[in-house]
Amino acid sequence: LRAHRDWDNVGRYEYPGAWVRRVASNLAMSRFRRLKSEAKAVTRLAGFGTPPPPPTIAPEYEHFWREVRSLPRRQAQVVALFYLEDLSIAQIAATLDVAEGTVKAQLHKARTTLARRLGADVGEHT
């Protein structure tokens, strides 16, 4: 909706798709944080013992995504954009408004950390 509303400006960007992905990512994170805060507030105000559970993740992926979420923010973003969105290094750099070298470095750090935490062999391809 924002891209459509602001297309006169967005359409002139070098990578309008990157802008859309960045805005969508920011909105999703904001919504998730807001829902989490609201759930905590409702729990506190209503006197319930525990907040409602977060959305469920398939059990076989739960540990992996918990580890991804525990990475520094930029590393987690790069991992999600690279593996979930299947974006290239250049596209991720444009989306996050950082240098390609920064994306490569963050992806390398994230892969190395995840491999170590998940017990995978850290070979030459990390």
Side-chain angles (χ1 to χ4, degrees), residues 54-67 69 118:
T56 58
I57 297 172
E60 61 269 24
Y61 303 118
E62 194 170 307
H63 180 66
F64 173 78
W65 285 111
R66 186 174 34 251
E67 291 299 331
R69 284 190 303 271
L118 298 172

Side-chain angles (χ1 to χ4, degrees), residues 63-72 75-76 78-80 83 106-122 126:
H63 180 66
F64 173 78
W65 285 111
R66 186 174 34 251
E67 291 299 331
V68 170
R69 284 190 303 271
S70 73
L71 292 170
Q75 289 179 28
V78 169
V79 167
Y83 290 106
Q106 294 299 311
L107 188 57
H108 175 76
K109 289 177 187 178
R111 286 174 173 161
T112 301
T113 300
L114 288 170
R116 182 178 35 80
R117 289 181 184 173
L118 298 172
D121 182 28
V122 181
T126 56

Side-chain angles (χ1 to χ4, degrees), residues 17-29:
W19 181 89
V20 170
R21 284 188 292 275
R22 176 73 179 252
V23 169
S25 173
N26 289 346
L27 289 172
M29 288 302 296

Side-chain angles (χ1 to χ4, degrees), residues 8-118:
D8 289 342
N9 291 326
V10 174
R12 285 183 267 208
Y13 294 161
E14 185 174 355
Y15 299 106
W19 181 89
V20 170
R21 284 188 292 275
R22 176 73 179 252
V23 169
S25 173
N26 289 346
L27 289 172
M29 288 302 296
S30 294
R31 184 172 192 281
F32 179 76
R33 287 185 189 118
R34 185 176 60 252
L35 290 173
K36 187 175 174 182
S37 295
E38 288 173 2
K40 286 181 181 179
V42 166
T43 300
R44 226 178 8 255
L45 294 173
F48 296 117
T50 58
T56 58
I57 297 172
E60 61 269 24
Y61 303 118
E62 194 170 307
H63 180 66
F64 173 78
W65 285 111
R66 186 174 34 251
E67 291 299 331
V68 170
R69 284 190 303 271
S70 73
L71 292 170
R73 181 174 181 233
R74 182 66 72 195
Q75 289 179 28
Q77 287 174 326
V78 169
V79 167
L81 291 171
F82 189 79
Y83 290 106
L84 293 177
E85 292 291 326
D86 199 26
L87 297 182
S88 69
I89 298 297
Q91 291 170 317
I92 295 170
T95 298
L96 299 177
D97 194 27
V98 297
E100 289 184 30
T102 300
V103 173
K104 290 176 185 177
Q106 294 299 311
L107 188 57
H108 175 76
K109 289 177 187 178
R111 286 174 173 161
T112 301
T113 300
L114 288 170
R116 182 178 35 80
R117 289 181 184 173
L118 298 172

